[in-house]
Amino acid sequence: MLHSDHAQPDLTRYILATPVEVVHHLASIARSGHMVTVFSNKGKTFILTRFLEVDAKRGVLLLDWGADPATNEQLLASERNVFVCSPDGVKTQFVTSAARKVMLDSGPAFEVDLPEQVIKLQRREFFRIQTPVSNPVSCHIADYPGRPLDLVLFDISLGGCSLWLPAPHAPGFDLGQKYQNCSFELKPLGSLRVGIEIRHRLTTQLRNGNEAVRAGCAFLNMTPSSETLVQRYVGQLERERRALVG
């Protein structure tokens, strides 16, 4: 599981628990064609896929077959799978039992039993994960007034990121401020080019007693390929974090 900005008990009010609600929501994701990340084998592996069909009569969900045979086999061998996606900025998460291989007219596909419940979070409640301190990620703001500016990331999610400001009262980071020409090097996966909008500021005290300010930003103009890149990067960080923990 990725870290949440909110306490777990709050999730109860976002749970879709009736079969009609579950089918309706998953069918809308299938129609949208959004990418879905499936974490398998206790989070050690993941696959990016799309929903092909929600079959309410049979109680199953059909998923696109992956391009990598080894990853496909890892998913088939996993007893419990966590699905995560964010269509239109609304975070969706659910758990299923093992996936099965089925043959369709178009070729092989995965089939899983429909989940009993789905967590559907609001736009602001993305799961965030901290970026590595040892190998920091920078946000290059090309349209910062006067000269381009590079800021270090504190964390990242599909919805946005937190940036360390160069000084507590650095100009140009008022709430609502937008920058359209920003780039992030998400090594080794590629470069993310998006806009950002400042949504909040948080003052924290460092170990040396000095104050530092983080600006919470929402990503602007995200494309499906940008979402996929961030999903893959977040998945990579989560796997690395799990490996360090244990």
Side-chain angles (χ1 to χ4, degrees):
M1 290 283 288
L2 308 184
H3 302 300
S4 172
D5 292 335
H6 295 257
Q8 288 295 85
D10 286 344
L11 295 180
T12 53
R13 58 198 168 109
Y14 304 119
I15 291 177
L16 308 178
T18 69
V20 172
E21 287 179 316
V22 169
V23 167
H24 181 266
H25 185 55
L26 297 186
S28 70
I29 295 173
R31 286 193 299 272
S32 73
H34 267 275
M35 296 299 294
V36 180
T37 305
V38 186
F39 291 94
S40 54
N41 297 300
K42 300 178 180 177
K44 294 175 185 173
T45 56
F46 78 98
I47 188 171
L48 286 169
T49 183
R50 287 186 173 89
F51 295 163
L52 297 176
E53 183 185 348
V54 181
D55 190 331
K57 283 186 178 180
R58 294 177 53 231
V60 297
L61 171 64
L62 294 170
L63 315 172
D64 208 4
W65 192 251
D68 179 37
T71 308
N72 291 337
E73 290 302 319
Q74 287 165 346
L75 177 55
L76 290 172
S78 178
E79 295 178 1
R80 181 179 183 273
N81 304 298
V82 180
F83 288 66
V84 181
C85 64
S86 298
D88 302 322
V90 178
K91 172 99 176 185
T92 295
Q93 183 169 310
F94 59 90
V95 177
T96 72
S97 53
R100 304 172 290 274
K101 181 180 180 179
V102 295
M103 292 303 297
L104 306 178
D105 292 341
S106 56
F110 295 109
E111 178 184 276
V112 295
D113 294 336
L114 284 173
E116 293 182 5
Q117 61 183 34
V118 171
I119 298 173
K120 179 183 173 185
L121 299 177
Q122 293 179 1
R123 181 178 296 271
R124 61 189 173 85
E125 290 163 308
F126 288 103
F127 283 61
R128 296 182 176 274
I129 190 164
Q130 290 187 17
T131 49
V133 176
S134 58
N135 186 21
V137 176
S138 292
C139 169
H140 181 75
I141 306 175
D143 52 346
Y144 185 73
R147 59 178 176 78
L149 184 66
D150 290 294
L151 299 178
V152 174
L153 262 71
F154 172 72
D155 62 22
I156 188 170
S157 74
L158 196 55
C161 64
S162 293
L163 303 170
W164 289 109
L165 298 189
H169 303 290
F173 294 98
D174 296 327
L175 301 189
Q177 174 71 46
K178 296 179 182 179
Y179 294 106
Q180 301 293 346
N181 192 358
C182 303
S183 59
F184 303 78
E185 293 303 322
L186 304 182
K187 299 175 183 177
L189 301 177
S191 180
L192 174 68
R193 300 185 184 280
V194 291
I196 60 171
E197 178 181 347
I198 309 301
R199 291 289 180 84
H200 63 82
R201 292 166 65 111
L202 176 67
T203 301
T204 59
Q205 192 166 33
L206 303 177
R207 289 178 181 175
N208 60 14
N210 294 337
E211 284 191 343
V213 177
R214 294 201 308 264
C217 309
F219 289 141
L220 306 175
N221 312 318
M222 286 284 278
T223 63
S225 61
S226 296
E227 288 186 359
T228 299
L229 174 60
V230 175
Q231 278 185 322
R232 290 178 62 201
Y233 184 68
V234 168
Q236 173 183 292
L237 292 183
E238 175 66 1
R239 290 200 312 282
E240 290 173 356
R241 187 188 70 80
R242 286 178 182 276
L244 289 173
V245 169

